Amino acid sequence: MSRVTARRRVLRIRDGAASQRPDTLAAEEPMEIRLDGRPLTVTMRTPGSDFDLAAGFLLSEGVVRQSADIAAIRYCAGATGDGGNTYNVVDVALAPGVAVPDQSLERNFYTTSSCGLCGKASLDAVRTTAPWTVAEDPLHVEPETLTALPDRLRTAQRVFARTGGLHAAGLFTADGELLCLREDVGRHNAVDKVIGHSLRSGWLPLRGTILLVSGRASFELVQKAVMAGIPMLAAVSAPSSLAVELAEDRGLTLVGFLRGTSMNVYTRADRVQFDLPVVGSSTVSRHAAVTPEEVPASA
């Protein structure tokens, strides 16, 4: 936990009064991921669950598809000039028979903590073929279950409570049970950690689950959810147009502005069950679909 946060003295100004005090910051350090000893990428992340992060990243990129594809994950000793171990270099050994990705996957630059796909040559390069489909997943969720998830996520965020500076990703059942939560300075890293933990635990595909992220829903997060077989992605903030496009294309339910008692359902709204009157309709259907036009946008 000591590497997850850092302490720093700050000048605090409140109500016209100034004071010096220590402040707790969310840690951010680079982590290099190597594949069979070959450098693959560098990501800026919050230390912790590093093996999950590496495994989730490789699944999201289509390098591996199941836990058996990974033979071992280890920290690289001698990462510094004096032979010390910084615990910032992770080497993943692929199982025999698993193809090593071509040179086009390698990154000659670091990935920032805010964007997991910065520098991708084209959208075609990230439309990796998923090993399973989410379009036929029979998941159905009550609106009350969805609206309760952000509070459950926040309650479980141990480091956020101390720093206020971390994103979180949580994996939930259709009944709202929290299966896994990870925090990181980057929302894409938090998602990779959740997916990586699920991969290493042998849970994939993640049928009948909901992935909740504490922020916006971007193209990359939809892509990661699809690669893990997650049929529903919910975000407390807005989705991007490309995220909605990809979700619609893959049959994933995308929920945005999940705040308080409101939400916007952008795609595959048939998975949301409700007992609410629909504006412009004289009937109420228990399993009627909520469309983006029927749900008022959150302020």
Side-chain angles (χ1 to χ4, degrees), residues 180-275:
C180 177
L181 178 141
R182 292 292 185 268
E183 295 178 279
D184 200 277
V185 288
R187 63 175 61 86
H188 70 283
N189 284 339
V191 170
D192 274 343
K193 288 178 178 181
V194 167
I195 292 175
H197 172 78
S198 301
L199 172 69
R200 299 175 66 213
S201 299
W203 296 351
L204 270 61
L206 292 168
R207 304 293 189 196
T209 61
I210 307 160
L211 178 65
L212 174 64
V213 295
S214 61
R216 60 186 176 84
S218 61
F219 176 93
E220 58 177 324
L221 298 191
V222 173
Q223 174 75 12
K224 291 176 187 297
V226 169
M227 292 298 292
I230 299 171
M232 182 177 290
L233 172 63
V236 300
S237 191
S240 68
S241 62
L242 201 55
V244 174
E245 178 183 322
L246 181 61
E248 183 174 39
D249 178 68
R250 302 301 173 91
L252 176 141
T253 299
L254 182 58
V255 178
F257 293 109
L258 184 58
R259 304 171 184 173
T261 59
S262 66
M263 71 188 79
N264 285 0
V265 186
Y266 292 87
T267 59
R268 284 300 305 270
D270 57 291
R271 290 192 175 110
V272 180
Q273 304 173 348
F274 68 100
D275 280 321

Coordinates of all heavy atoms in Angstrom, one line a residue, residues 180-275:
C180 N -15.2 -7.8 -8.3 CA -13.9 -7.4 -8.3 C -13.8 -5.9 -8.5 O -14.6 -5.3 -9.3 CB -13.1 -8.1 -9.5 SG -11.4 -7.6 -9.7
L181 N -12.9 -5.2 -7.8 CA -12.7 -3.8 -7.9 C -11.2 -3.5 -8.0 O -10.4 -4.1 -7.2 CB -13.3 -3.0 -6.7 CG -13.1 -1.5 -6.8 CD1 -14.4 -0.8 -6.3 CD2 -12.0 -1.1 -5.9
R182 N -10.9 -2.6 -8.9 CA -9.5 -2.2 -9.0 C -9.4 -0.6 -9.1 O -10.3 -0.1 -9.8 CB -8.7 -2.8 -10.1 CG -8.5 -4.3 -10.0 CD -7.6 -4.6 -8.9 NE -7.3 -6.1 -8.8 CZ -7.9 -6.9 -8.0 NH1 -8.9 -6.5 -7.3 NH2 -7.6 -8.2 -8.0
E183 N -8.4 0.0 -8.6 CA -8.2 1.4 -8.7 C -6.9 1.8 -9.4 O -6.0 1.0 -9.4 CB -8.2 2.1 -7.3 CG -9.5 2.0 -6.5 CD -9.3 2.6 -5.1 OE1 -8.8 1.9 -4.2 OE2 -9.7 3.7 -4.9
D184 N -6.9 2.9 -10.1 CA -5.7 3.3 -10.8 C -5.9 4.8 -11.2 O -7.0 5.3 -11.4 CB -5.5 2.4 -12.0 CG -4.0 2.5 -12.5 OD1 -3.7 3.4 -13.3 OD2 -3.2 1.6 -12.2
V185 N -4.8 5.4 -11.5 CA -4.8 6.8 -12.0 C -5.4 6.8 -13.4 O -5.9 7.9 -13.8 CB -3.4 7.5 -12.0 CG1 -3.0 7.8 -10.6 CG2 -2.4 6.6 -12.7
G186 N -5.4 5.7 -14.1 CA -5.9 5.6 -15.5 C -7.1 4.7 -15.5 O -7.1 3.6 -15.0
R187 N -8.2 5.2 -16.0 CA -9.4 4.4 -16.0 C -9.2 3.1 -16.9 O -9.7 2.0 -16.6 CB -10.7 5.1 -16.5 CG -10.6 5.6 -17.9 CD -11.9 6.3 -18.4 NE -12.2 7.4 -17.5 CZ -11.8 8.7 -17.8 NH1 -10.9 8.9 -18.8 NH2 -12.1 9.7 -17.0
H188 N -8.4 3.2 -18.0 CA -8.2 2.0 -18.8 C -7.3 1.0 -18.0 O -7.5 -0.2 -18.2 CB -7.5 2.5 -20.1 CG -6.1 2.9 -19.9 ND1 -5.8 4.2 -19.4 CD2 -4.9 2.3 -20.1 CE1 -4.5 4.3 -19.4 NE2 -3.9 3.2 -19.8
N189 N -6.4 1.5 -17.2 CA -5.6 0.6 -16.4 C -6.5 -0.1 -15.3 O -6.3 -1.3 -15.1 CB -4.5 1.3 -15.6 CG -3.4 1.7 -16.5 OD1 -3.2 1.1 -17.6 ND2 -2.6 2.7 -16.1
A190 N -7.4 0.6 -14.7 CA -8.3 0.0 -13.7 C -9.1 -1.1 -14.4 O -9.3 -2.2 -13.8 CB -9.3 1.1 -13.1
V191 N -9.6 -0.9 -15.6 CA -10.4 -1.9 -16.3 C -9.5 -3.1 -16.7 O -9.9 -4.2 -16.5 CB -11.0 -1.3 -17.6 CG1 -11.6 -2.4 -18.5 CG2 -12.1 -0.3 -17.2
D192 N -8.3 -2.8 -17.2 CA -7.4 -3.9 -17.5 C -7.1 -4.8 -16.2 O -6.9 -6.0 -16.3 CB -6.0 -3.4 -18.0 CG -6.1 -3.1 -19.6 OD1 -7.0 -3.7 -20.2 OD2 -5.2 -2.4 -20.1
K193 N -7.0 -4.1 -15.1 CA -6.7 -4.9 -13.8 C -7.9 -5.8 -13.5 O -7.7 -6.9 -13.0 CB -6.4 -3.9 -12.7 CG -5.0 -3.2 -12.8 CD -4.8 -2.2 -11.7 CE -3.4 -1.6 -11.8 NZ -3.2 -0.6 -10.6
V194 N -9.1 -5.3 -13.7 CA -10.3 -6.1 -13.4 C -10.3 -7.3 -14.4 O -10.6 -8.4 -14.0 CB -11.6 -5.3 -13.5 CG1 -12.8 -6.2 -13.6 CG2 -11.7 -4.3 -12.3
I195 N -10.1 -7.0 -15.7 CA -10.2 -8.0 -16.7 C -9.0 -9.0 -16.5 O -9.2 -10.2 -16.6 CB -10.1 -7.4 -18.1 CG1 -11.4 -6.6 -18.3 CG2 -9.9 -8.5 -19.2 CD1 -11.5 -5.9 -19.7
G196 N -7.9 -8.5 -16.2 CA -6.7 -9.4 -15.9 C -6.9 -10.3 -14.8 O -6.6 -11.5 -14.8
H197 N -7.5 -9.8 -13.7 CA -7.8 -10.6 -12.5 C -8.8 -11.7 -12.9 O -8.7 -12.9 -12.5 CB -8.4 -9.8 -11.4 CG -9.0 -10.6 -10.3 ND1 -8.2 -11.2 -9.3 CD2 -10.2 -11.0 -9.9 CE1 -8.9 -11.8 -8.4 NE2 -10.2 -11.7 -8.8
S198 N -9.8 -11.3 -13.7 CA -10.8 -12.3 -14.2 C -10.2 -13.4 -15.1 O -10.6 -14.6 -15.0 CB -12.0 -11.6 -14.9 OG -12.6 -10.6 -14.1
L199 N -9.3 -12.9 -16.0 CA -8.6 -13.9 -16.8 C -7.8 -14.9 -16.0 O -7.9 -16.1 -16.2 CB -7.7 -13.1 -17.8 CG -6.8 -13.9 -18.7 CD1 -7.5 -14.7 -19.7 CD2 -5.7 -13.0 -19.4
R200 N -7.0 -14.4 -15.1 CA -6.1 -15.2 -14.3 C -6.9 -16.2 -13.4 O -6.4 -17.2 -12.9 CB -5.2 -14.4 -13.5 CG -4.2 -13.6 -14.4 CD -3.3 -12.6 -13.6 NE -2.4 -13.4 -12.8 CZ -1.9 -13.0 -11.6 NH1 -2.4 -11.9 -11.1 NH2 -1.1 -13.7 -11.0
S201 N -8.2 -15.7 -13.1 CA -9.0 -16.6 -12.2 C -9.9 -17.6 -13.0 O -10.6 -18.4 -12.4 CB -10.0 -15.6 -11.4 OG -9.3 -14.8 -10.6
G202 N -9.8 -17.5 -14.3 CA -10.5 -18.5 -15.1 C -12.0 -18.2 -15.3 O -12.8 -19.1 -15.5
W203 N -12.4 -16.9 -15.1 CA -13.8 -16.5 -15.2 C -14.3 -16.2 -16.6 O -15.5 -16.1 -16.8 CB -14.0 -15.2 -14.3 CG -13.8 -15.4 -12.9 CD1 -13.5 -16.6 -12.2 CD2 -13.8 -14.4 -11.9 NE1 -13.4 -16.4 -10.9 CE2 -13.5 -15.0 -10.6 CE3 -13.9 -13.0 -11.9 CZ2 -13.4 -14.3 -9.4 CZ3 -13.9 -12.3 -10.7 CH2 -13.6 -12.9 -9.5
L204 N -13.4 -16.0 -17.6 CA -13.8 -15.5 -18.9 C -14.5 -16.7 -19.6 O -14.1 -17.8 -19.5 CB -12.6 -15.0 -19.7 CG -12.3 -13.5 -19.5 CD1 -12.0 -13.2 -18.1 CD2 -11.2 -13.1 -20.4
P205 N -15.5 -16.4 -20.5 CA -16.0 -15.0 -20.7 C -16.9 -14.6 -19.6 O -17.5 -15.4 -18.9 CB -16.9 -15.2 -22.0 CG -17.3 -16.6 -22.0 CD -16.1 -17.4 -21.4
L206 N -17.0 -13.3 -19.3 CA -17.7 -12.7 -18.2 C -19.2 -12.5 -18.5 O -19.7 -11.4 -18.5 CB -17.1 -11.4 -17.7 CG -15.7 -11.6 -17.1 CD1 -15.0 -10.3 -17.0 CD2 -15.7 -12.3 -15.8
R207 N -19.9 -13.6 -18.8 CA -21.3 -13.6 -19.1 C -22.1 -13.1 -17.9 O -21.8 -13.3 -16.8 CB -21.8 -15.0 -19.4 CG -21.0 -15.7 -20.5 CD -21.2 -15.1 -21.9 NE -20.7 -15.9 -23.0 CZ -20.5 -15.5 -24.2 NH1 -20.7 -14.2 -24.5 NH2 -20.0 -16.3 -25.1
G208 N -23.1 -12.3 -18.2 CA -24.1 -11.9 -17.2 C -23.5 -10.9 -16.2 O -24.1 -10.8 -15.1
T209 N -22.5 -10.1 -16.6 CA -21.9 -9.2 -15.7 C -22.0 -7.8 -16.2 O -22.3 -7.5 -17.3 CB -20.4 -9.5 -15.4 OG1 -19.7 -9.4 -16.7 CG2 -20.2 -10.9 -14.9
I210 N -21.8 -6.8 -15.2 CA -21.8 -5.4 -15.5 C -20.5 -4.8 -15.1 O -20.0 -5.1 -14.0 CB -22.9 -4.7 -14.7 CG1 -24.3 -5.4 -14.9 CG2 -23.0 -3.2 -15.1 CD1 -25.3 -5.1 -13.8
L211 N -19.9 -4.1 -16.0 CA -18.6 -3.3 -15.7 C -19.0 -1.9 -15.5 O -19.5 -1.2 -16.4 CB -17.6 -3.5 -16.9 CG -16.3 -2.7 -16.7 CD1 -15.5 -3.3 -15.5 CD2 -15.5 -2.8 -18.0
L212 N -18.6 -1.4 -14.3 CA -18.9 0.0 -14.0 C -17.6 0.8 -13.9 O -16.6 0.3 -13.3 CB -19.6 0.2 -12.7 CG -19.9 1.6 -12.1 CD1 -20.7 2.4 -13.1 CD2 -20.4 1.5 -10.7
V213 N -17.5 2.0 -14.6 CA -16.3 2.8 -14.5 C -16.6 4.1 -14.0 O -17.7 4.7 -14.2 CB -15.6 2.9 -15.9 CG1 -15.1 1.6 -16.4 CG2 -16.6 3.5 -16.9
S214 N -15.7 4.7 -13.2 CA -15.9 6.0 -12.6 C -15.4 7.1 -13.4 O -14.3 7.7 -13.2 CB -15.2 6.0 -11.2 OG -13.8 5.9 -11.4
G215 N -16.1 7.4 -14.5 CA -15.7 8.4 -15.4 C -16.5 8.3 -16.7 O -17.6 7.7 -16.7
R216 N -15.9 8.7 -17.8 CA -16.5 8.6 -19.1 C -16.3 7.2 -19.7 O -15.4 6.5 -19.3 CB -16.0 9.7 -20.0 CG -14.5 9.6 -20.3 CD -14.0 10.8 -21.2 NE -12.6 10.7 -21.3 CZ -12.0 10.0 -22.3 NH1 -12.7 9.3 -23.1 NH2 -10.7 10.0 -22.4
A217 N -17.1 6.9 -20.7 CA -17.0 5.6 -21.4 C -16.4 5.9 -22.8 O -17.1 6.6 -23.6 CB -18.4 5.0 -21.5
S218 N -15.2 5.5 -23.1 CA -14.6 5.7 -24.3 C -14.6 4.5 -25.2 O -14.9 3.4 -24.7 CB -13.1 6.2 -24.1 OG -12.4 5.1 -23.4
F219 N -14.1 4.6 -26.4 CA -14.0 3.5 -27.4 C -13.2 2.4 -26.8 O -13.6 1.2 -26.8 CB -13.4 4.0 -28.7 CG -13.1 2.9 -29.7 CD1 -14.1 2.7 -30.6 CD2 -12.0 2.2 -29.7 CE1 -13.8 1.7 -31.6 CE2 -11.7 1.2 -30.6 CZ -12.7 1.0 -31.6
E220 N -12.1 2.7 -26.2 CA -11.2 1.7 -25.6 C -11.8 0.9 -24.6 O -11.6 -0.3 -24.5 CB -9.9 2.4 -25.1 CG -10.2 3.4 -24.0 CD -8.9 4.0 -23.4 OE1 -7.9 3.3 -23.3 OE2 -9.0 5.2 -23.1
L221 N -12.7 1.5 -23.7 CA -13.3 0.7 -22.6 C -14.3 -0.2 -23.2 O -14.5 -1.3 -22.6 CB -13.9 1.7 -21.6 CG -12.9 2.6 -20.9 CD1 -13.5 3.3 -19.7 CD2 -11.6 1.8 -20.4
V222 N -15.1 0.2 -24.2 CA -16.0 -0.7 -24.8 C -15.3 -1.9 -25.4 O -15.7 -3.0 -25.3 CB -16.9 0.1 -25.9 CG1 -17.7 -0.9 -26.7 CG2 -17.7 1.1 -25.3
Q223 N -14.2 -1.6 -26.1 CA -13.4 -2.6 -26.7 C -12.9 -3.6 -25.7 O -13.0 -4.9 -25.9 CB -12.2 -2.0 -27.4 CG -11.2 -3.0 -28.0 CD -11.7 -3.7 -29.2 OE1 -12.7 -3.3 -29.8 NE2 -11.0 -4.8 -29.7
K224 N -12.4 -3.2 -24.5 CA -12.0 -4.1 -23.5 C -13.1 -4.9 -22.9 O -12.9 -6.1 -22.7 CB -11.3 -3.2 -22.4 CG -10.0 -2.6 -22.8 CD -9.4 -1.7 -21.7 CE -8.2 -0.9 -22.1 NZ -7.1 -1.8 -22.5
A225 N -14.3 -4.3 -22.7 CA -15.4 -5.1 -22.2 C -15.8 -6.2 -23.2 O -16.1 -7.3 -22.8 CB -16.6 -4.1 -22.0
V226 N -15.9 -5.8 -24.5 CA -16.2 -6.8 -25.5 C -15.2 -8.0 -25.5 O -15.6 -9.2 -25.6 CB -16.3 -6.2 -26.9 CG1 -16.4 -7.2 -28.0 CG2 -17.5 -5.2 -26.9
M227 N -13.9 -7.6 -25.4 CA -12.9 -8.7 -25.4 C -13.0 -9.6 -24.2 O -12.5 -10.8 -24.3 CB -11.5 -8.0 -25.5 CG -11.2 -7.3 -26.8 SD -11.1 -8.4 -28.2 CE -9.7 -9.4 -27.9
A228 N -13.6 -9.1 -23.1 CA -13.7 -10.0 -22.0 C -15.1 -10.7 -21.9 O -15.3 -11.4 -21.0 CB -13.5 -9.1 -20.7
G229 N -15.9 -10.4 -22.9 CA -17.2 -11.0 -22.9 C -18.2 -10.4 -21.9 O -19.2 -11.0 -21.5
I230 N -18.0 -9.1 -21.6 CA -18.9 -8.4 -20.7 C -20.1 -7.8 -21.5 O -19.8 -7.0 -22.4 CB -18.2 -7.3 -19.9 CG1 -17.0 -7.9 -19.1 CG2 -19.1 -6.5 -19.0 CD1 -16.1 -6.9 -18.5
P231 N -21.3 -8.1 -21.2 CA -22.4 -7.6 -22.0 C -22.9 -6.2 -21.7 O -23.7 -5.6 -22.4 CB -23.5 -8.6 -21.7 CG -23.3 -9.0 -20.3 CD -21.8 -9.0 -20.2
M232 N -22.5 -5.6 -20.5 CA -23.0 -4.3 -20.2 C -21.9 -3.4 -19.6 O -21.2 -3.9 -18.6 CB -24.1 -4.3 -19.2 CG -24.7 -3.0 -18.8 SD -26.2 -3.1 -17.6 CE -27.4 -3.7 -18.7
L233 N -21.7 -2.2 -20.1 CA -20.7 -1.3 -19.6 C -21.5 0.0 -19.1 O -22.3 0.5 -19.9 CB -19.7 -0.9 -20.6 CG -18.8 0.3 -20.3 CD1 -17.9 -0.1 -19.1 CD2 -17.9 0.7 -21.5
A234 N -21.3 0.4 -17.9 CA -22.0 1.6 -17.3 C -20.9 2.5 -16.9 O -19.8 2.2 -16.3 CB -22.9 1.2 -16.1
A235 N -21.2 3.8 -17.1 CA -20.3 4.9 -16.7 C -21.0 6.0 -16.0 O -22.2 6.3 -16.3 CB -19.5 5.4 -17.9
V236 N -20.4 6.6 -15.0 CA -21.0 7.7 -14.3 C -21.0 9.0 -15.1 O -21.7 10.0 -14.8 CB -20.4 8.0 -13.0 CG1 -20.4 6.7 -12.1 CG2 -18.9 8.4 -13.1
S237 N -20.2 9.0 -16.2 CA -20.2 10.2 -17.1 C -20.6 9.9 -18.5 O -21.2 8.8 -18.7 CB -18.8 10.8 -17.0 OG -18.7 12.1 -17.6
A238 N -20.2 10.7 -19.4 CA -20.7 10.6 -20.8 C -19.9 9.5 -21.6 O -18.7 9.3 -21.4 CB -20.6 11.9 -21.5
P239 N -20.5 8.9 -22.6 CA -19.8 8.1 -23.6 C -19.4 9.0 -24.8 O -20.0 10.0 -25.0 CB -20.8 7.1 -24.0 CG -22.1 7.8 -23.9 CD -22.0 8.8 -22.8
S240 N -18.4 8.5 -25.5 CA -18.1 9.2 -26.7 C -18.9 8.6 -27.9 O -19.5 7.5 -27.8 CB -16.6 9.0 -27.0 OG -16.3 7.6 -27.4
S241 N -19.0 9.3 -29.0 CA -19.8 8.8 -30.1 C -19.2 7.5 -30.7 O -20.0 6.6 -31.1 CB -19.8 9.9 -31.2 OG -18.4 10.1 -31.7
L242 N -17.9 7.4 -30.6 CA -17.3 6.2 -31.2 C -17.6 5.0 -30.2 O -17.7 3.8 -30.7 CB -15.8 6.4 -31.4 CG -15.1 5.4 -32.3 CD1 -15.8 5.4 -33.7 CD2 -13.6 5.7 -32.5
A243 N -17.6 5.3 -28.9 CA -18.0 4.2 -27.9 C -19.4 3.7 -28.2 O -19.6 2.5 -28.2 CB -17.9 4.8 -26.5
V244 N -20.3 4.6 -28.5 CA -21.7 4.2 -28.8 C -21.7 3.4 -30.1 O -22.4 2.4 -30.2 CB -22.6 5.4 -28.8 CG1 -24.0 5.0 -29.3 CG2 -22.7 6.1 -27.5
E245 N -21.0 3.8 -31.0 CA -21.0 3.1 -32.3 C -20.4 1.7 -32.2 O -21.0 0.8 -32.7 CB -20.1 3.9 -33.3 CG -19.9 3.3 -34.7 CD -19.0 4.1 -35.6 OE1 -19.0 5.3 -35.5 OE2 -18.2 3.4 -36.3
L246 N -19.4 1.5 -31.4 CA -18.8 0.2 -31.3 C -19.7 -0.7 -30.4 O -19.9 -1.9 -30.7 CB -17.4 0.3 -30.6 CG -16.7 -1.0 -30.4 CD1 -16.4 -1.7 -31.7 CD2 -15.4 -0.8 -29.6
A247 N -20.3 -0.1 -29.4 CA -21.2 -0.9 -28.5 C -22.4 -1.4 -29.3 O -22.8 -2.5 -29.2 CB -21.7 0.0 -27.4
E248 N -22.9 -0.5 -30.2 CA -24.1 -0.9 -31.0 C -23.7 -2.0 -32.0 O -24.4 -3.0 -32.2 CB -24.6 0.3 -31.8 CG -25.8 0.0 -32.6 CD -26.4 1.3 -33.2 OE1 -25.6 2.1 -33.7 OE2 -27.6 1.4 -33.3
D249 N -22.5 -1.9 -32.6 CA -22.0 -2.8 -33.5 C -21.8 -4.2 -32.9 O -22.0 -5.2 -33.5 CB -20.7 -2.3 -34.1 CG -20.0 -3.3 -35.1 OD1 -20.6 -3.5 -36.2 OD2 -19.0 -3.9 -34.8
R250 N -21.3 -4.2 -31.6 CA -21.0 -5.5 -31.0 C -22.1 -6.1 -30.1 O -22.0 -7.1 -29.5 CB -19.7 -5.3 -30.1 CG -18.5 -4.9 -30.9 CD -18.1 -5.9 -32.0 NE -17.1 -5.4 -32.8 CZ -15.8 -5.6 -32.6 NH1 -15.4 -6.3 -31.5 NH2 -14.8 -5.1 -33.4
G251 N -23.2 -5.3 -30.0 CA -24.3 -5.8 -29.2 C -24.1 -5.7 -27.7 O -24.7 -6.4 -26.9
L252 N -23.4 -4.7 -27.3 CA -23.1 -4.4 -25.8 C -24.1 -3.3 -25.4 O -24.3 -2.3 -26.1 CB -21.7 -4.0 -25.6 CG -21.2 -3.6 -24.2 CD1 -19.8 -4.1 -23.9 CD2 -21.2 -2.0 -24.1
T253 N -24.6 -3.5 -24.2 CA -25.4 -2.4 -23.6 C -24.5 -1.4 -23.0 O -23.7 -1.7 -22.1 CB -26.4 -3.0 -22.5 OG1 -27.2 -4.0 -23.1 CG2 -27.2 -1.9 -21.9
L254 N -24.7 -0.1 -23.4 CA -23.9 1.0 -22.9 C -24.8 2.0 -22.2 O -25.7 2.5 -22.7 CB -23.2 1.7 -24.1 CG -22.2 2.8 -23.7 CD1 -21.1 2.4 -22.8 CD2 -21.7 3.5 -25.0
V255 N -24.4 2.2 -20.9 CA -25.2 3.1 -20.0 C -24.2 4.3 -19.6 O -23.1 4.0 -19.2 CB -25.7 2.4 -18.7 CG1 -26.4 3.4 -17.8 CG2 -26.6 1.2 -19.1
G256 N -24.7 5.5 -19.8 CA -24.0 6.6 -19.4 C -24.7 7.5 -18.4 O -25.9 7.3 -18.2
F257 N -24.0 8.5 -17.8 CA -24.6 9.4 -16.8 C -25.4 8.7 -15.8 O -26.5 9.0 -15.4 CB -25.6 10.4 -17.6 CG -24.8 11.4 -18.5 CD1 -25.0 11.2 -19.8 CD2 -24.0 12.4 -18.0 CE1 -24.3 12.1 -20.7 CE2 -23.4 13.2 -18.8 CZ -23.5 13.1 -20.2
L258 N -24.8 7.6 -15.2 CA -25.4 6.8 -14.2 C -25.2 7.5 -12.9 O -24.1 7.4 -12.2 CB -24.8 5.4 -14.1 CG -25.4 4.4 -13.1 CD1 -26.9 4.2 -13.4 CD2 -24.7 3.1 -13.2
R259 N -26.1 8.4 -12.5 CA -26.0 9.2 -11.3 C -27.3 9.3 -10.6 O -28.3 9.6 -11.2 CB -25.5 10.7 -11.7 CG -24.2 10.7 -12.5 CD -24.0 12.1 -13.0 NE -22.8 12.2 -13.9 CZ -22.5 13.3 -14.5 NH1 -23.2 14.4 -14.5 NH2 -21.4 13.3 -15.3
G260 N -27.3 9.2 -9.3 CA -28.5 9.3 -8.5 C -29.5 8.2 -9.0 O -29.2 7.1 -9.0
T261 N -30.7 8.7 -9.4 CA -31.7 7.8 -9.9 C -31.9 7.8 -11.4 O -32.9 7.3 -11.9 CB -33.0 8.1 -9.2 OG1 -33.4 9.4 -9.5 CG2 -32.9 7.9 -7.7
S262 N -30.9 8.5 -12.1 CA -31.1 8.6 -13.6 C -30.0 8.0 -14.3 O -28.9 7.7 -13.8 CB -31.2 10.1 -13.9 OG -29.9 10.7 -13.6
M263 N -30.2 7.7 -15.6 CA -29.2 7.2 -16.5 C -29.7 7.4 -17.9 O -30.8 7.6 -18.2 CB -29.0 5.7 -16.2 CG -30.2 4.8 -16.7 SD -30.2 3.1 -16.2 CE -30.7 3.3 -14.4
N264 N -28.7 7.3 -18.8 CA -29.0 7.2 -20.3 C -28.6 5.8 -20.8 O -27.5 5.4 -20.6 CB -28.3 8.3 -21.1 CG -28.9 9.7 -20.9 OD1 -29.8 9.9 -20.1 ND2 -28.2 10.7 -21.5
V265 N -29.5 5.2 -21.5 CA -29.2 3.9 -22.1 C -29.0 4.1 -23.6 O -30.0 4.4 -24.2 CB -30.3 2.8 -21.8 CG1 -29.8 1.4 -22.3 CG2 -30.5 2.7 -20.2
Y266 N -27.8 3.9 -24.1 CA -27.5 4.3 -25.4 C -27.7 3.1 -26.4 O -28.0 3.4 -27.6 CB -26.1 4.8 -25.5 CG -25.9 6.2 -24.8 CD1 -25.6 6.2 -23.5 CD2 -26.1 7.4 -25.5 CE1 -25.5 7.4 -22.8 CE2 -26.0 8.6 -24.9 CZ -25.7 8.6 -23.5 OH -25.6 9.8 -22.9
T267 N -27.4 1.9 -26.0 CA -27.5 0.8 -26.9 C -28.0 -0.5 -26.2 O -27.9 -0.6 -24.9 CB -26.1 0.4 -27.5 OG1 -25.2 0.1 -26.4 CG2 -25.5 1.5 -28.3
R268 N -28.7 -1.4 -26.9 CA -29.2 -2.6 -26.4 C -30.0 -2.4 -25.1 O -29.7 -3.0 -24.0 CB -28.1 -3.6 -26.2 CG -27.6 -4.3 -27.5 CD -28.8 -5.0 -28.2 NE -29.4 -6.0 -27.4 CZ -29.1 -7.3 -27.3 NH1 -28.0 -7.7 -28.0 NH2 -29.7 -8.1 -26.5
A269 N -30.9 -1.4 -25.1 CA -31.7 -1.0 -24.0 C -32.7 -2.1 -23.5 O -33.2 -2.1 -22.4 CB -32.5 0.2 -24.2
D270 N -32.8 -3.2 -24.3 CA -33.7 -4.3 -24.0 C -33.2 -5.0 -22.7 O -34.0 -5.8 -22.1 CB -33.9 -5.2 -25.1 CG -32.6 -5.8 -25.6 OD1 -31.8 -5.0 -26.2 OD2 -32.3 -7.0 -25.4
R271 N -32.0 -4.8 -22.4 CA -31.5 -5.5 -21.2 C -31.8 -4.8 -19.9 O -31.6 -5.3 -18.8 CB -29.9 -5.6 -21.3 CG -29.5 -6.6 -22.3 CD -28.0 -6.9 -22.2 NE -27.5 -7.9 -23.1 CZ -26.7 -7.7 -24.1 NH1 -26.3 -6.4 -24.3 NH2 -26.3 -8.7 -24.9
V272 N -32.4 -3.6 -20.0 CA -32.8 -2.9 -18.8 C -34.3 -3.1 -18.6 O -35.1 -2.7 -19.4 CB -32.5 -1.4 -18.9 CG1 -32.9 -0.6 -17.6 CG2 -31.0 -1.2 -19.1
Q273 N -34.7 -3.6 -17.4 CA -36.1 -3.9 -17.1 C -36.6 -2.7 -16.3 O -35.9 -2.3 -15.3 CB -36.2 -5.2 -16.3 CG -35.7 -6.4 -17.1 CD -35.7 -7.6 -16.2 OE1 -35.9 -7.6 -15.0 NE2 -35.4 -8.8 -16.8
F274 N -37.8 -2.3 -16.5 CA -38.3 -1.2 -15.8 C -39.9 -1.2 -15.7 O -40.5 -1.7 -16.5 CB -37.8 0.2 -16.3 CG -38.4 0.5 -17.7 CD1 -39.4 1.4 -17.8 CD2 -37.9 -0.1 -18.8 CE1 -40.0 1.7 -19.0 CE2 -38.4 0.2 -20.1 CZ -39.4 1.1 -20.2
D275 N -40.4 -0.5 -14.7 CA -41.8 -0.3 -14.5 C -42.0 1.2 -14.5 O -42.3 1.8 -13.5 CB -42.3 -0.9 -13.2 CG -42.6 -2.4 -13.4 OD1 -43.1 -2.8 -14.4 OD2 -42.2 -3.1 -12.4

